[in-house]
Amino acid sequence: MASTPPHCSITATKPYQSHQYPQNQRLKSQRNARQPNQWTTQQVSLPKPLPLPSQPPRSAPRPPLPAPTSSFSSLPSLPPPKSDLVTAFSGRRSTRFVSKMHLGRPKTTVGSRHSALAEEALHHAVQYGKNDLALDDVLLSFETRLGGSDDYTFLLRELGNRGECWKAIRCFEFAVRRERRRTEQGKLASSMISTLGRLGKVELAKNVFQTAVDDGYGKTVYTYSALISAYGRSGYCEEAIRVLESMKDAGLKPNLVTYNAVIDACGKGGVEFKRVVEIFNEMLRNGVQPDRITYNSLLAVCSRGGLWEAAQNLFSEMVDRGIDQDIYTYNTLLDAICKGGQMDLAYQMMSEMPSKNILPNVVTYSTIIDGYAKAGRLEDALSLFNEMKFLAISLDRVLYNTLLSLYGKLGRFEDALNVCKEMESVGIAKDVVSYNALLGGYGKQGKYDEVKRMYNEMIEEHVSPNILTYSTLIDLYSKGGLYAEAMRVFREFKHAGLKADVVLYSELINALCKNGLVESALSLLDEMTKEGIRPNVVTYNSIIDAFGRSAATECAVDAAPGGIMLQTGSSSTVSERKVFEIQVGDREDNRFLKMFGQLAAEKAGYAIKDRKVRQEILCILGIFQKMHELDIKPNVVTFSAILNACSRCNSFDDASMLLEELRLFDNQVYGVAHGLLMGYRDNVWVKAQSLFDEVKQMDSSTASAFYNALTDMLWHFGQKQGAQLVVLEGKRRNVWESAWSDSCLDLHLMSPGAARAMVHAWLLNIRTIVFKGQQLPNLLSILTGWGKHSKVVGDSTLRRAIEALLTSMGAPFHIAKCNLGRFISTGSVAAAWLKESGTLEVLVLHDDRTYPKGAHLDQISNFQALAL
DNA sequence: GTAGGGTTAG
């Protein structure tokens, strides 16, 4: 193909970055665990002086643009100026790749050319082949009567489908021995490899392949393709790609099936879309025309990353190329769109399917229902489920599990139990996914007795817990503060011989961080990297969030070699470390258990609270630098975590310096935050608007977390007018989905800073009503809720903050008798207060930092324009 | 050689 092929359009409109550590790499690094790698060597533990001035300039604010002589001037290259907030957050949330194996879908032998005798031999092999010898007897007794390799292929495939792996291998070896023709031996080898691949026995598959190559019958496109597929199913995408290369080295030409298998492997293994497109381009260069399955597999790559726009491009490219779509195409495309958070678009696409003569099936519905559930649109999810029932589409295991998860999220346990009953009645036993969903649901509602009951039932039913079960349990117990339970689960997890992964580590790290044990969290981070598990953005976000929360004594960050260290005032950490390094064997158990033991013992876990609190948010700079080195892209949660850390810090200079330094990484995001903090609103408001536009594309909880963090930070540092502008902007964009009417202000989704700024704006608005001579409603209410959105159930920080604010203003609101989270006033009393001469002065907010054009009247007209 | 479900950060 000399001319530019149409495939050029396959470019992700947004770069997808995967921070995951595919299993093959993980295994590889396990294998090389003794060799120092970039990870472990960078995790230095020698304290070095702070690279930042310990006494930041306290006088004049810095100019808007950072000086080139910053501590990061040695950065090899700066990240692109465009922020990646949306990219990083619109995609799939899961960062766990390989726990879900793509195994067990049996290859049908319908249409196989086997003889009737092969079926008989199969039954004998299943029934009588109890051991090697007995199986050999069966095979020998059929040897003369069985046809060629077709019969043996059938036999070993079917044995594989029945999970009789060793019998399949024995049968294969038997067949190869009696077969003289190389091509036939090759056929046997490729079906054996494919069968083992389906069973997830990838090492065995590789052995079969190697033997076949060594013995001279394995060098075929089919065996190579089968091996690629086997690697793919188990998530070993790098290996799959390597096999493709070695195949070319061996002088074989990959065909359509080979390329499709490689692309499929890439999708399952989480290879970046861009890289898969390169393979696709290579395929085209080699004159191999893609087919429907190629595109379906490419769509699956997009779906994994939530690249819904790229998926749409692929879809139209299929149409352009005259390649028909099928139900797989639609379901995979829909999955990509759902994972990209575009639920309305997904629903619309699904509605268009019948006109293309492709009817939505149970997979389509479970995809969209789950998409709605993940987007928090639980009612939409349920109504789609009803639609599906109405259409008499029968439910399967996955849909039942989707429902269980949905009802669990809603706390509708009766419905969940009914689903369980229905599953039982139709003969679908609960599997590990069902139990995990139930455990998670009960756990989120704090029903720990039910959690225990479910777990016991699971064990009694011989459903083995997997890493997700343990993850779920550890997380829910940690969140509930039941650290002793979390420890017990962790012990069981170790006992089960499972290897911790990035999610499990991140949960543990988060639990430590939430309790201020940032040192322990960092040492776990160190631990996991030594284990060859790559932290991801979630891990780092937890750690960033810990700063300012903790009471660690002293923190030193070494940005140059990339290490993050905390130097503690006490020597205990140092000696602790030494002890652990000696006990290499059970080091990790001890660590986890010790840390969690600390939490369990102290319950609330403020282990080191009386130590001198120092401003440690500058450590974040080091973390950020580290993330940059590791190519882990910060996202909007990182941003929110940093701002929240700033809000916990009492030094304006430290906060402004941090934000200013961070502008070197992302000038848009941190430029806005820094500018607003400094009061340079005129300079940054346009940039802020485009940032807000980006945030608007995210789901509501992400967006509100962003606005909450930003306003909190501004409020905390006295930039109250700025905070109010941001909050009104958020209100204008419906970020909080809360009520703002003349009679009621609902603050329950807001942070204390945002809520306070909002109260001012709302009261000013009510005041204009009064001054226009209009009647106020009889009753005015301000709702703060019960801290439902707070991580701490029943936390009433917001209520207390609002109470204090109203009191300080002298506002005539009081707590409603029946609802502690509601402040009320009659309209007439409020109106009288608003008319008082001093009230306006109390309501109008001022910035602590100078704002060149600041004026009360400006502000009033501003907020009126925004609020009304 | 192709699709959907379970977990972590705010």
Side-chain angles (χ1 to χ4, degrees):
Chain A
M1 284 184 106
S3 63
T4 313
H7 65 261
C8 286
S9 66
I10 308 179
T11 317
T13 47
K14 283 167 184 166
Y16 168 56
Q17 199 201 5
S18 87
H19 306 313
Q20 292 76 14
Y21 208 32
Q23 192 178 27
N24 56 318
Q25 287 179 30
R26 184 187 298 182
L27 294 180
K28 199 174 63 195
S29 60
Q30 268 174 284
R31 248 177 267 137
N32 301 335
R34 298 276 158 197
Q35 294 171 13
N37 61 27
Q38 198 193 9
W39 283 85
T40 51
T41 50
Q42 282 187 354
Q43 215 68 33
V44 203
S45 45
L46 282 176
K48 285 194 184 161
L50 278 167
L52 295 160
S54 53
Q55 284 295 314
R58 308 229 164 237
S59 53
R62 286 196 184 181
L65 278 175
T69 51
S70 96
S71 57
F72 284 108
S73 56
S74 59
L75 280 181
S77 64
L78 289 178
K82 178 91 176 78
S83 80
D84 274 317
L85 288 182
V86 175
T87 315
F89 224 77
S90 61
R92 190 188 178 99
R93 307 235 169 160
S94 175
T95 52
R96 194 174 244 158
F97 267 150
V98 286
S99 60
K100 183 180 172 187
M101 294 298 176
H102 309 273
L103 313 168
R105 205 177 279 237
K107 169 114 180 173
T108 51
T109 41
V110 181
S112 154
R113 288 179 300 242
H114 64 275
S115 66
L117 260 171
E119 309 227 0
E120 202 184 322
L122 172 68
H123 295 307
H124 277 77
V126 169
Q127 208 167 348
Y128 307 115
K130 304 282 182 218
N131 55 43
D132 280 4
L133 288 179
L135 181 63
D136 285 353
D137 283 345
V138 172
L139 291 170
L140 282 168
S141 70
F142 279 90
E143 184 180 9
T144 52
R145 293 179 290 158
L146 284 183
S149 57
D150 286 342
D151 276 349
Y152 285 102
T153 301
F154 167 81
L155 252 183
L156 61 90
R157 275 223 172 104
E158 282 303 308
L159 287 169
N161 287 348
R162 286 166 174 70
E164 307 258 32
C165 182
W166 70 268
K167 287 186 188 175
I169 294 176
R170 192 94 187 159
C171 175
F172 161 73
E173 285 169 343
F174 182 88
V176 168
R177 268 199 308 275
R178 65 179 289 285
E179 179 61 67
R180 294 283 165 99
R181 291 161 298 180
R182 289 209 165 168
T183 50
E184 296 304 302
Q185 287 175 324
K187 280 187 199 168
L188 286 165
S190 51
S191 15
M192 188 70 244
I193 294 165
S194 134
T195 300
L196 290 168
R198 267 168 224 287
L199 293 170
K201 313 273 182 189
V202 68
E203 278 303 314
L204 290 174
K206 194 187 159 202
N207 290 342
V208 169
F209 172 82
Q210 200 55 54
T211 311
V213 170
D214 293 346
D215 293 352
Y217 57 87
K219 227 180 93 170
T220 74
V221 177
Y222 302 98
T223 50
Y224 275 91
S225 300
L227 184 63
I228 288 171
S229 163
Y231 277 128
R233 278 176 201 281
S234 292
Y236 296 87
C237 52
E238 295 300 331
E239 296 291 339
I241 294 171
R242 219 165 293 145
V243 175
L244 174 71
E245 294 307 315
S246 72
M247 166 177 191
K248 287 183 272 183
D249 293 343
L252 291 169
K253 268 188 78 173
N255 63 17
L256 176 64
V257 172
T258 319
Y259 278 111
N260 286 351
V262 175
I263 292 171
D264 178 55
C266 291
K268 293 194 168 89
V271 174
E272 223 180 305
F273 182 61
K274 234 170 67 189
R275 196 159 155 229
V276 184
V277 172
E278 278 165 24
I279 294 171
F280 179 70
N281 286 342
E282 175 195 307
M283 169 179 178
L284 296 170
R285 273 197 310 276
N286 291 340
V288 179
Q289 290 307 313
D291 67 355
R292 192 183 66 243
I293 292 179
T294 319
Y295 274 95
N296 289 350
S297 299
L298 283 168
L299 284 170
V301 177
C302 297
S303 130
R304 164 117 12 237
L307 302 173
W308 59 280
E309 288 154 306
Q312 279 193 309
N313 289 341
L314 282 171
F315 187 85
S316 30
E317 207 170 281
M318 272 180 100
V319 176
D320 293 346
R321 280 178 176 261
I323 297 170
D324 285 337
Q325 293 87 45
D326 63 5
I327 185 72
Y328 285 82
T329 316
Y330 270 96
N331 287 344
T332 316
L333 172 67
L334 286 174
D335 193 38
I337 295 174
C338 289
K339 297 266 185 331
Q342 309 297 312
M343 288 315 300
D344 294 331
L345 176 63
Y347 185 81
Q348 185 199 329
M349 293 249 24
M350 181 177 78
S351 315
E352 288 166 8
M353 287 171 70
S355 68
K356 303 276 169 64
N357 271 331
I358 299 169
L359 294 178
N361 62 9
V362 62
V363 176
T364 322
Y365 277 94
S366 61
T367 304
I368 314 258
I369 289 173
D370 186 62
Y372 275 134
K374 290 223 165 63
R377 292 168 63 172
L378 303 176
E379 288 307 316
D380 288 323
L382 279 180
S383 82
L384 206 56
F385 171 59
N386 289 328
E387 175 183 317
M388 180 187 170
K389 277 201 297 198
F390 179 74
L391 292 172
I393 296 175
S394 60
L395 313 187
D396 68 358
R397 176 189 299 280
V398 173
L399 203 116
Y400 278 119
N401 284 339
T402 308
L403 272 184
L404 281 180
S405 157
L406 183 61
Y407 286 132
K409 281 192 182 103
L410 285 163
R412 286 168 57 170
F413 297 110
E414 213 160 295
D415 290 309
L417 291 178
N418 285 335
V419 171
C420 293
K421 279 184 199 142
E422 193 179 321
M423 285 174 82
E424 213 177 318
S425 71
V426 297
I428 296 178
K430 289 202 282 291
D431 64 1
V432 65
V433 177
S434 330
Y435 280 108
N436 289 348
L438 288 166
L439 291 170
Y442 282 123
K444 278 202 182 76
Q445 307 284 330
K447 297 188 182 297
Y448 300 111
D449 290 344
E450 292 300 313
V451 168
K452 228 164 252 170
R453 201 176 57 76
M454 272 296 149
Y455 184 74
N456 290 339
E457 181 188 314
M458 179 176 184
I459 302 299
E460 278 162 22
E461 296 291 326
H462 301 287
V463 176
S464 302
N466 61 14
I467 183 158
L468 289 117
T469 318
Y470 292 111
S471 270
T472 307
L473 289 172
I474 289 175
D475 188 60
L476 65 91
Y477 282 134
S478 299
K479 288 224 163 70
L482 302 173
Y483 299 109
E485 286 301 314
M487 274 167 75
R488 191 185 52 72
V489 174
F490 182 69
R491 276 201 201 94
E492 273 185 53
F493 164 75
K494 295 306 285 185
H495 190 70
L498 296 171
K499 190 180 183 310
D501 69 355
V502 59
V503 175
L504 201 132
Y505 266 107
S506 298
E507 284 166 346
L508 296 170
I509 286 174
N510 186 48
L512 295 168
C513 289
K514 285 287 166 294
N515 288 287
L517 299 177
V518 68
E519 290 169 56
S520 303
L522 284 175
S523 101
L524 260 195
L525 177 70
D526 195 33
E527 192 80 46
M528 73 186 273
T529 51
K530 278 185 180 139
E531 293 252 317
I533 299 165
R534 191 177 192 262
N536 60 27
V537 67
V538 177
T539 327
Y540 277 100
N541 286 345
S542 284
I543 289 174
I544 287 173
D545 189 68
F547 287 106
R549 204 186 282 282
S550 94
T553 47
E554 207 167 291
C555 164
V557 177
D558 179 2
I564 301 157
M565 299 142 305
L566 249 86
Q567 183 191 6
T568 57
S570 74
S571 60
S572 68
T573 308
V574 178
S575 55
E576 216 172 83
R577 191 165 289 164
K578 276 183 191 146
V579 169
F580 281 125
E581 272 162 18
I582 295 163
Q583 303 170 343
V584 180
D586 50 0
R587 179 184 56 191
E588 145 196 3
D589 290 26
N590 283 345
R591 269 209 180 183
F592 284 126
L593 295 178
K594 186 162 181 167
M595 291 166 189
F596 271 72
Q598 198 177 344
L599 291 179
E602 312 208 2
K603 207 71 180 177
Y606 294 99
I608 42 180
K609 61 182 166 198
D610 21 312
R611 284 196 205 160
K612 196 175 137 204
V613 179
R614 287 260 320 249
Q615 296 311 331
E616 52 185 34
I617 59 160
L618 295 178
C619 295
I620 290 171
L621 215 43
I623 305 264
F624 220 84
Q625 167 72 6
K626 184 79 184 174
M627 289 172 79
H628 179 65
E629 279 167 18
L630 299 177
D631 203 25
I632 296 171
K633 275 193 188 157
N635 59 21
V636 67
V637 181
T638 322
F639 181 71
S640 300
I642 289 173
L643 295 181
N644 285 330
C646 288
S647 299
R648 288 189 293 262
C649 154
N650 290 323
S651 159
F652 176 88
D653 293 313
D654 283 356
S656 67
M657 176 188 290
L658 173 66
L659 294 175
E660 186 162 6
E661 293 284 349
L662 289 173
R663 296 176 62 188
L664 283 163
F665 293 91
D666 189 330
N667 193 33
Q668 188 196 4
V669 169
Y670 297 98
V672 167
H674 179 256
L676 291 175
L677 177 63
M678 302 306 289
Y680 307 146
R681 270 198 297 285
D682 284 352
N683 303 331
V684 297
W685 197 247
V686 173
K687 236 176 7 177
Q689 286 291 338
S690 70
L691 180 61
F692 297 152
D693 289 341
E694 269 192 68
V695 173
K696 186 61 207 161
Q697 294 181 41
M698 301 170 194
D699 65 277
S700 62
S701 70
T702 304
S704 59
F706 165 90
Y707 279 91
N708 282 338
L710 185 55
T711 35
D712 255 4
M713 192 270 294
L714 293 173
W715 188 273
H716 175 74
F717 287 116
Q719 299 301 83
K720 297 185 175 172
Q721 207 179 330
Q724 191 171 64
L725 272 179
V726 173
V727 115
L728 288 171
E729 189 64 27
K731 176 197 166 295
R732 194 171 72 85
R733 294 164 181 262
N734 288 322
V735 164
W736 287 282
E737 300 166 359
S738 326
W740 161 304
S741 70
D742 291 349
S743 64
C744 179
L745 176 65
D746 182 355
L747 305 168
H748 80 279
L749 292 174
M750 308 184 86
S751 62
R756 280 179 282 194
M758 197 71 145
V759 166
H760 279 265
W762 185 71
L763 289 173
L764 275 170
N765 185 56
I766 300 284
R767 187 179 173 279
T768 60
I769 295 174
V770 172
F771 275 82
K772 272 190 227 161
Q774 292 167 10
Q775 186 80 26
L776 283 186
N778 287 337
L779 189 69
L780 304 179
S781 321
I782 299 174
L783 305 174
T784 62
W786 286 80
K788 198 174 125 196
H789 71 295
S790 163
K791 291 276 169 193
V792 189
V793 178
D795 180 51
S796 53
T797 318
L798 180 64
R799 181 171 61 81
R800 278 184 276 111
I802 296 304
E803 188 171 20
L805 177 75
L806 293 170
T807 308
S808 74
M809 291 193 300
F813 283 81
H814 57 271
I815 293 175
K817 279 192 190 112
C818 54
N819 183 350
L820 284 179
R822 176 173 168 165
F823 296 90
I824 51 173
S825 168
T826 60
S828 52
V829 172
W833 173 68
L834 289 164
K835 281 181 188 160
E836 285 172 20
S837 59
T839 304
L840 180 64
E841 196 53 39
V842 171
L843 288 181
V844 172
L845 293 169
H846 306 274
D847 279 349
D848 284 0
R849 310 277 141 182
T850 50
Y851 174 49
K853 280 170 61 181
H856 294 181
L857 293 175
D858 266 12
Q859 187 203 352
I860 293 167
S861 55
N862 258 342
F863 98 80
Q864 281 177 348
L866 287 163
L868 300 174

